[in-house]
Amino acid sequence: MPRPCRQCGTDIGRTVETCPQCGTFNRAQRTIWVWLVGGALVLTLFLALGDIGAVLRVAGDLLRQIHATLAPAP
């Protein structure tokens, strides 16, 4: 869906930052899909990194318990 240039009013695309008619800078508009995909990506990273951290903590605790069990008593 085109939008008007803020200087000359020529219809330009939503992702175009420079008007082909007058050369004025127009900030590109981000569509809702960009925000949705970005949000989904951030949420996925938070979940994945959170789970990895939990797995590493559990594995570390398990290794410490094994080490304590196998270590000779003083």
Side-chain angles (χ1 to χ4, degrees), residues 29-55:
Q29 294 178 342
R30 290 177 181 84
T31 62
I32 189 71
W33 293 109
V34 171
W35 293 107
L36 289 176
V37 170
L41 181 63
V42 167
L43 181 61
T44 302
L45 286 173
F46 275 130
L47 292 175
L49 294 176
D51 287 342
I52 288 172
V55 168

Side-chain angles (χ1 to χ4, degrees), residues 3-12 19 21-22 26:
R3 63 189 168 110
C5 170
R6 60 186 175 119
Q7 181 69 29
C8 67
T10 302
D11 283 343
I12 58 174
C19 176
Q21 185 72 25
C22 67
N26 291 276

Side-chain angles (χ1 to χ4, degrees), residues 54-68:
V55 168
L56 291 176
R57 279 192 301 278
V58 169
D61 291 342
L62 182 60
L63 289 173
R64 278 190 285 283
Q65 288 175 357
I66 291 170
H67 185 265

